[in-house]
Structures are given as structure tokens and as C-alpha cells.
Amino acid sequence: MDFKVLADLIENGVPFNRMLGIRVCEIAEGRLKLFIPFREDLIGDVRRPAIHGGVISALADVCGGFAVWTLCKLEDRLATIDMRVDYLRPATAHDLYAEATVRLLGNRMGNAQVMLWSEGTPDLHVAEGRGVYNIRRNPR
């Protein structure tokens, strides 16, 4: 797997990721760390202010799915089968980080755990996610 190509796909190849501003921090086999730079339009609750839960779940899904993809071929295709996000506390008006670790990789499915936190507080998780991803192997 060419991680530079995968990083470019994460940041630029998926229009939704590009709209959210998702950036790659670290990429390795079975592990991925991403972040979304804070912008005012990501706020869901202006009274706190706190980042919208949809932004949090989207980052968890992208991070988990691409972490599984690090163990596949670039030509393979992945799709989310199931995604669970536990919201633990508000994500403050700072950059939002996610780190995924692949827990299980089979021939047709992968499972990843994702931890999310606000900038500057990596030990204070705002959410935890778990995703199951379908892998369609390219026969080439």
C-alpha cells in the first residue's frame, strides 16, 4: 500500500472529506490519525459552543474505514456496514482529532476502534467509535 496515495485520497479524493477539511496526521498499517481544523460552521450548539455530533461521527467513520484500508490494496473497495459512536462529552471549539486502530481484519470484513478528542486534550475523549467495514477485494 502506498500511504502517500491513500493520504491524498483521504484529503482530496473524497469530496465530503474535502468539504469537512479532514487532514492526515499519521498513517501506518492498521492505524490512522486524522484531524479536522476547527471552523465556526462546524458548531452544532452555539451556547457551549460545541462541534456538531454529525461532524464527530463522520470523522470516526472516515478514520475507521481508512484504517482498515491501510491493510488492503488500494484497488479494493470498502463500505461501512455498521457504525457506533458513543458521545462522552462536548467537543470544544478546537481542532477535532481521531485515531483508529484495526481490531480485526478478515477477507471480507474489517473492524476498527476509534477514539476522538479536542486539540490539546488527547487523554480526554469526546467520543469513542466502532466500525465494521465490508471489503470488496479487487481480484487483480
Side-chain angles (χ1 to χ4, degrees):
M1 170 68 70
D2 185 341
F3 290 147
K4 288 182 183 180
V5 172
L6 191 62
D8 185 59
L9 178 61
I10 294 167
E11 293 182 353
N12 303 305
V14 178
F16 184 70
N17 294 357
R18 195 170 54 247
M19 185 269 302
L20 284 176
I22 295 175
R23 312 308 294 161
V24 175
C25 293
E26 298 172 21
I27 189 168
E29 286 188 6
R31 196 174 67 75
L32 181 62
K33 184 176 174 184
L34 303 175
F35 79 102
I36 297 176
F38 175 73
R39 301 187 322 256
E40 289 290 329
D41 61 345
L42 300 178
I43 294 293
D45 185 344
V46 295
R47 296 166 297 173
R48 287 185 174 151
I51 293 178
H52 192 283
V55 175
I56 294 169
S57 63
L59 184 59
D61 188 28
V62 170
C63 198
F66 277 97
V68 170
W69 211 342
T70 66
L71 297 171
C72 299
K73 294 179 182 174
L74 193 58
E75 298 79 25
D76 294 340
R77 295 291 174 249
L78 275 75
T80 306
I81 295 173
D82 188 49
M83 185 73 199
R84 175 189 171 102
V85 177
D86 294 327
Y87 299 94
L88 305 174
R89 60 186 46 83
T92 59
H94 295 86
D95 294 352
L96 180 66
Y97 285 82
E99 184 167 13
T101 304
V102 175
R103 296 294 185 200
L104 176 71
L105 182 71
N107 190 43
R108 295 185 188 157
M109 285 195 294
N111 177 296
Q113 179 178 7
V114 187
M115 307 304 274
L116 296 100
W117 66 93
S118 296
E119 179 182 29
T121 57
D123 295 326
L124 190 62
H125 297 143
V126 299
E128 296 178 359
R130 284 168 298 289
V132 180
Y133 303 90
N134 179 46
I135 303 168
R136 292 183 53 206
R137 304 279 184 184
N138 187 324
R140 288 188 246 165

